[in-house]
Coordinates of all heavy atoms in Angstrom, one line a residue:
Chain F
S402 N 72.0 2.8 -19.1 CA 73.3 2.9 -18.5 C 73.2 3.7 -17.2 O 74.0 3.4 -16.3 CB 74.3 3.7 -19.5 OG 74.1 3.1 -20.8
Y403 N 72.3 4.7 -17.2 CA 72.2 5.4 -15.9 C 71.7 4.4 -14.8 O 72.3 4.5 -13.7 CB 71.1 6.5 -16.1 CG 70.7 7.1 -14.8 CD1 71.6 8.1 -14.2 CD2 69.6 6.8 -14.1 CE1 71.3 8.7 -13.0 CE2 69.3 7.4 -12.9 CZ 70.1 8.3 -12.3 OH 69.8 8.8 -11.1
I404 N 70.8 3.5 -15.1 CA 70.4 2.6 -14.1 C 71.5 1.7 -13.7 O 71.8 1.5 -12.5 CB 69.2 1.7 -14.7 CG1 68.0 2.6 -14.9 CG2 68.9 0.5 -13.7 CD1 66.8 1.8 -15.4
A405 N 72.3 1.2 -14.6 CA 73.4 0.4 -14.3 C 74.4 1.2 -13.4 O 75.0 0.7 -12.5 CB 74.1 -0.2 -15.5
F406 N 74.6 2.4 -13.8 CA 75.6 3.3 -13.1 C 75.2 3.5 -11.7 O 76.0 3.2 -10.8 CB 75.7 4.6 -13.8 CG 76.6 5.6 -13.1 CD1 78.0 5.5 -13.2 CD2 76.1 6.5 -12.2 CE1 78.9 6.3 -12.5 CE2 77.0 7.4 -11.5 CZ 78.3 7.3 -11.7
I407 N 74.0 3.8 -11.4 CA 73.6 4.1 -10.0 C 73.6 2.8 -9.2 O 74.0 2.8 -8.0 CB 72.3 4.8 -9.8 CG1 71.1 4.1 -10.4 CG2 72.4 6.3 -10.4 CD1 69.7 4.7 -10.0
A408 N 73.2 1.7 -9.8 CA 73.2 0.4 -9.1 C 74.6 0.1 -8.7 O 74.9 -0.3 -7.5 CB 72.6 -0.7 -9.9
L409 N 75.6 0.2 -9.6 CA 77.0 -0.2 -9.3 C 77.6 0.8 -8.3 O 78.2 0.5 -7.4 CB 77.8 -0.2 -10.6 CG 77.5 -1.3 -11.6 CD1 78.2 -1.2 -12.9 CD2 77.9 -2.6 -10.9
W410 N 77.3 2.1 -8.6 CA 77.9 3.2 -7.7 C 77.4 3.0 -6.3 O 78.1 3.2 -5.3 CB 77.4 4.5 -8.3 CG 78.2 5.7 -7.7 CD1 79.3 6.3 -8.2 CD2 77.8 6.4 -6.6 NE1 79.7 7.3 -7.4 CE2 78.8 7.4 -6.4 CE3 76.7 6.4 -5.7 CZ2 78.7 8.4 -5.3 CZ3 76.7 7.3 -4.6 CH2 77.6 8.3 -4.5
G411 N 76.1 2.6 -6.1 CA 75.6 2.4 -4.8 C 76.3 1.3 -4.1 O 76.5 1.4 -2.8
L412 N 76.7 0.3 -4.8 CA 77.4 -0.8 -4.1 C 78.9 -0.5 -3.9 O 79.5 -0.8 -2.9 CB 77.3 -2.1 -5.0 CG 76.0 -2.8 -5.1 CD1 76.0 -4.0 -5.9 CD2 75.4 -3.1 -3.7
I413 N 79.5 0.1 -4.9 CA 81.0 0.2 -4.9 C 81.4 1.5 -4.2 O 82.4 1.5 -3.5 CB 81.5 0.2 -6.4 CG1 81.2 -1.2 -7.0 CG2 83.0 0.5 -6.4 CD1 81.5 -1.3 -8.5
V414 N 80.6 2.6 -4.4 CA 81.0 3.8 -3.7 C 80.2 4.1 -2.4 O 80.8 4.2 -1.3 CB 80.9 5.0 -4.6 CG1 81.3 6.3 -3.9 CG2 81.8 4.8 -5.9
Y415 N 78.9 4.1 -2.6 CA 78.1 4.5 -1.4 C 78.2 3.6 -0.2 O 78.5 4.0 0.9 CB 76.6 4.7 -1.8 CG 75.9 5.2 -0.6 CD1 75.9 6.6 -0.3 CD2 75.1 4.4 0.3 CE1 75.3 7.1 0.8 CE2 74.5 4.9 1.4 CZ 74.6 6.3 1.6 OH 73.9 6.8 2.8
A416 N 78.0 2.3 -0.5 CA 78.0 1.3 0.7 C 79.3 1.4 1.5 O 79.3 1.5 2.7 CB 77.7 -0.1 0.2
P417 N 80.5 1.3 0.8 CA 81.7 1.4 1.6 C 81.9 2.7 2.4 O 82.1 2.7 3.6 CB 82.8 1.2 0.6 CG 82.2 0.6 -0.6 CD 80.7 1.0 -0.6
V418 N 81.7 3.8 1.7 CA 81.9 5.1 2.4 C 80.9 5.2 3.6 O 81.3 5.7 4.6 CB 81.7 6.3 1.4 CG1 81.9 7.6 2.2 CG2 82.8 6.2 0.3
C419 N 79.7 4.8 3.3 CA 78.7 4.8 4.4 C 79.2 3.9 5.6 O 79.1 4.3 6.8 CB 77.4 4.3 3.9 SG 76.1 4.2 5.1
H420 N 79.8 2.8 5.2 CA 80.3 1.9 6.3 C 81.5 2.6 7.0 O 81.6 2.5 8.2 CB 80.8 0.6 5.6 CG 81.3 -0.4 6.6 ND1 80.4 -1.2 7.4 CD2 82.5 -0.8 7.0 CE1 81.1 -2.0 8.2 NE2 82.4 -1.8 8.0
W421 N 82.4 3.2 6.2 CA 83.5 3.9 6.9 C 83.1 4.9 8.0 O 83.5 4.9 9.1 CB 84.3 4.7 5.9 CG 84.9 4.0 4.7 CD1 85.0 2.7 4.5 CD2 85.5 4.6 3.6 NE1 85.6 2.4 3.3 CE2 85.9 3.6 2.7 CE3 85.8 5.9 3.2 CZ2 86.6 3.8 1.5 CZ3 86.4 6.2 2.0 CH2 86.8 5.1 1.1
V422 N 82.1 5.7 7.6 CA 81.7 6.9 8.4 C 80.7 6.5 9.5 O 80.8 7.0 10.6 CB 81.3 8.0 7.5 CG1 80.9 9.2 8.4 CG2 82.3 8.4 6.5
W423 N 79.7 5.7 9.1 CA 78.6 5.5 10.0 C 78.5 4.0 10.5 O 77.8 3.7 11.4 CB 77.3 5.9 9.4 CG 77.1 7.4 9.2 CD1 77.7 8.4 9.9 CD2 76.3 8.0 8.2 NE1 77.3 9.6 9.5 CE2 76.5 9.4 8.4 CE3 75.5 7.6 7.2 CZ2 75.8 10.3 7.6 CZ3 74.8 8.5 6.5 CH2 75.0 9.9 6.7
G424 N 79.1 3.1 9.7 CA 78.7 1.7 9.9 C 79.7 0.9 10.6 O 79.6 -0.4 10.6
G425 N 80.7 1.5 11.2 CA 81.7 0.8 12.0 C 83.0 0.7 11.3 O 84.0 0.1 11.8
G426 N 83.2 1.4 10.2 CA 84.5 1.4 9.4 C 85.5 2.3 10.1 O 85.2 2.9 11.2
F427 N 86.5 2.6 9.4 CA 87.7 3.2 10.0 C 87.5 4.7 10.3 O 88.3 5.3 11.0 CB 88.9 3.0 9.1 CG 89.0 3.8 7.9 CD1 89.8 5.0 7.8 CD2 88.2 3.5 6.8 CE1 89.8 5.7 6.6 CE2 88.3 4.2 5.6 CZ 89.1 5.3 5.5
L428 N 86.5 5.4 9.7 CA 86.2 6.8 10.1 C 85.1 6.9 11.1 O 84.9 8.0 11.6 CB 85.9 7.6 8.8 CG 87.0 7.8 7.8 CD1 86.4 8.4 6.5 CD2 88.1 8.7 8.4
T429 N 84.5 5.8 11.5 CA 83.4 5.9 12.4 C 83.9 6.4 13.8 O 84.9 5.9 14.3 CB 82.7 4.6 12.6 OG1 82.3 4.1 11.4 CG2 81.5 4.7 13.5
G430 N 83.3 7.4 14.3 CA 83.7 8.0 15.6 C 84.9 8.9 15.4 O 85.3 9.6 16.4
E431 N 85.4 9.0 14.2 CA 86.5 10.0 14.0 C 86.0 11.2 13.3 O 86.0 12.3 13.9 CB 87.6 9.3 13.1 CG 88.2 8.1 13.7 CD 89.3 8.5 14.8 OE1 90.1 9.4 14.5 OE2 89.3 7.9 15.9
A432 N 85.7 11.1 12.0 CA 85.2 12.2 11.3 C 83.8 12.6 11.8 O 83.0 11.8 12.1 CB 85.2 11.8 9.8
L433 N 83.6 13.9 11.8 CA 82.3 14.4 12.2 C 81.5 14.5 10.9 O 81.8 15.3 10.0 CB 82.4 15.8 12.8 CG 83.1 15.9 14.1 CD1 83.1 17.4 14.6 CD2 82.4 15.1 15.2
D434 N 80.4 13.8 10.8 CA 79.5 13.9 9.7 C 78.1 13.7 10.1 O 77.6 12.5 10.1 CB 79.9 12.9 8.5 CG 79.2 13.3 7.2 OD1 78.4 14.2 7.2 OD2 79.4 12.5 6.3
F435 N 77.4 14.7 10.5 CA 76.2 14.6 11.2 C 75.1 13.9 10.3 O 74.5 12.9 10.7 CB 75.6 15.9 11.7 CG 74.5 15.7 12.7 CD1 74.7 15.3 14.0 CD2 73.2 15.9 12.2 CE1 73.6 15.1 14.8 CE2 72.1 15.8 13.1 CZ 72.3 15.3 14.4
A436 N 75.0 14.4 9.1 CA 73.9 13.8 8.3 C 74.3 13.5 6.9 O 73.5 13.4 6.0 CB 72.7 14.8 8.3
G437 N 75.6 13.5 6.7 CA 76.0 13.0 5.4 C 76.7 14.0 4.5 O 76.6 14.0 3.2
G438 N 77.4 15.0 5.0 CA 78.2 15.9 4.2 C 79.2 15.1 3.3 O 79.3 15.4 2.1
T439 N 79.9 14.2 4.0 CA 80.9 13.4 3.2 C 80.2 12.3 2.5 O 80.4 12.1 1.3 CB 82.0 12.9 4.2 OG1 82.6 14.1 4.8 CG2 83.0 12.1 3.4
V440 N 79.5 11.5 3.3 CA 78.9 10.3 2.8 C 77.9 10.6 1.6 O 77.9 9.8 0.6 CB 78.1 9.5 3.9 CG1 77.4 8.3 3.4 CG2 79.0 9.2 5.1
V441 N 77.2 11.7 1.7 CA 76.2 11.9 0.7 C 76.7 13.0 -0.4 O 76.8 12.7 -1.6 CB 74.9 12.5 1.3 CG1 73.9 12.9 0.2 CG2 74.3 11.4 2.1
H442 N 77.1 14.1 0.1 CA 77.4 15.2 -0.8 C 78.8 15.2 -1.4 O 79.0 15.5 -2.6 CB 77.1 16.6 -0.2 CG 75.7 16.7 0.2 ND1 74.7 16.7 -0.7 CD2 75.1 16.6 1.4 CE1 73.5 16.7 -0.1 NE2 73.7 16.7 1.2
V443 N 79.8 14.9 -0.6 CA 81.1 14.8 -1.2 C 81.2 13.6 -2.2 O 81.6 13.8 -3.4 CB 82.2 14.6 -0.2 CG1 83.6 14.4 -0.8 CG2 82.3 15.9 0.7
T444 N 80.7 12.5 -1.8 CA 80.7 11.3 -2.8 C 80.0 11.7 -4.1 O 80.5 11.5 -5.1 CB 80.1 10.1 -2.1 OG1 78.7 10.4 -1.8 CG2 80.9 9.6 -1.0
S445 N 78.7 12.1 -3.9 CA 77.9 12.4 -5.1 C 78.5 13.5 -5.9 O 78.5 13.5 -7.2 CB 76.5 12.6 -4.8 OG 76.3 13.7 -4.0
G446 N 78.9 14.6 -5.2 CA 79.4 15.8 -5.9 C 80.7 15.5 -6.7 O 80.8 15.9 -7.9
I447 N 81.6 14.8 -6.1 CA 82.9 14.6 -6.7 C 82.7 13.5 -7.8 O 83.3 13.6 -8.9 CB 83.9 14.2 -5.7 CG1 85.3 14.5 -6.2 CG2 83.8 12.8 -5.2 CD1 85.7 15.9 -6.3
S448 N 81.8 12.6 -7.6 CA 81.5 11.6 -8.7 C 80.9 12.3 -9.9 O 81.1 11.9 -11.0 CB 80.6 10.5 -8.2 OG 81.3 9.8 -7.1
S449 N 80.1 13.3 -9.6 CA 79.5 14.1 -10.7 C 80.6 14.7 -11.6 O 80.5 14.7 -12.8 CB 78.7 15.3 -10.1 OG 77.6 14.8 -9.4
L450 N 81.6 15.3 -10.9 CA 82.7 15.9 -11.7 C 83.4 14.8 -12.5 O 83.6 15.0 -13.7 CB 83.7 16.6 -10.7 CG 84.8 17.3 -11.4 CD1 84.3 18.5 -12.3 CD2 85.8 17.9 -10.4
A451 N 83.7 13.7 -11.9 CA 84.4 12.7 -12.6 C 83.6 12.2 -13.8 O 84.1 12.1 -14.9 CB 84.6 11.5 -11.7
I452 N 82.3 12.0 -13.6 CA 81.5 11.4 -14.7 C 81.2 12.4 -15.8 O 81.1 12.1 -17.0 CB 80.2 10.8 -14.2 CG1 79.6 9.7 -15.1 CG2 79.1 11.8 -13.8 CD1 80.5 8.5 -15.2
L453 N 81.1 13.7 -15.4 CA 80.8 14.7 -16.5 C 82.0 14.9 -17.3 O 81.9 15.2 -18.5 CB 80.2 15.9 -15.9 CG 81.0 16.9 -15.1 CD1 81.7 17.9 -16.0 CD2 80.1 17.7 -14.2
V454 N 83.2 14.9 -16.7 CA 84.4 15.0 -17.5 C 84.5 13.8 -18.4 O 84.8 13.9 -19.6 CB 85.6 15.2 -16.6 CG1 86.9 15.0 -17.4 CG2 85.6 16.5 -15.9
F455 N 84.2 12.7 -17.9 CA 84.3 11.4 -18.6 C 83.3 11.4 -19.8 O 83.7 11.1 -20.9 CB 84.0 10.3 -17.7 CG 84.0 8.9 -18.3 CD1 85.2 8.3 -18.6 CD2 82.8 8.3 -18.7 CE1 85.2 7.0 -19.2 CE2 82.9 7.1 -19.3 CZ 84.1 6.4 -19.6
L456 N 82.1 11.9 -19.6 CA 81.1 11.9 -20.6 C 81.2 13.0 -21.6 O 80.8 12.8 -22.8 CB 79.7 12.0 -20.0 CG 79.0 10.7 -19.6 CD1 77.5 11.0 -19.3 CD2 79.1 9.6 -20.6
G457 N 81.8 14.1 -21.3 CA 81.9 15.2 -22.2 C 80.6 16.0 -22.2 O 79.6 15.7 -21.6
K458 N 80.7 17.1 -23.0 CA 79.6 18.1 -23.0 C 78.4 17.6 -23.7 O 78.5 16.8 -24.6 CB 80.1 19.4 -23.6 CG 81.4 19.9 -23.0 CD 81.8 21.2 -23.8 CE 83.2 21.6 -23.3 NZ 83.7 22.7 -24.0
R459 N 77.3 18.3 -23.4 CA 76.2 18.2 -24.3 C 76.5 18.9 -25.6 O 77.2 19.8 -25.6 CB 74.9 18.9 -23.7 CG 74.3 18.1 -22.6 CD 73.2 18.9 -21.9 NE 73.9 20.0 -21.1 CZ 73.2 20.9 -20.5 NH1 71.9 20.9 -20.4 NH2 73.9 21.9 -19.8
K460 N 75.9 18.4 -26.7 CA 76.0 19.0 -28.0 C 75.5 20.4 -27.9 O 74.4 20.7 -27.3 CB 75.1 18.2 -29.0 CG 75.5 18.5 -30.4 CD 74.7 17.6 -31.3 CE 74.5 18.3 -32.6 NZ 73.6 19.4 -32.6

Side-chain angles (χ1 to χ4, degrees):
Chain F
S402 315
Y403 171 77
I404 293 179
F406 177 79
I407 59 170
L409 290 172
W410 192 92
L412 292 182
I413 299 173
V414 180
Y415 185 78
V418 177
C419 178
H420 185 76
W421 300 352
V422 180
W423 292 332
F427 73 104
L428 291 170
T429 307
E431 296 283 316
L433 295 177
D434 191 1
F435 193 75
T439 302
V440 177
V441 173
H442 298 291
V443 174
T444 57
S445 63
I447 201 75
S448 297
S449 297
L450 184 61
I452 201 71
L453 71 87
V454 168
F455 180 79
L456 271 191
K458 306 177 189 177
R459 280 170 295 177
K460 199 175 151 289

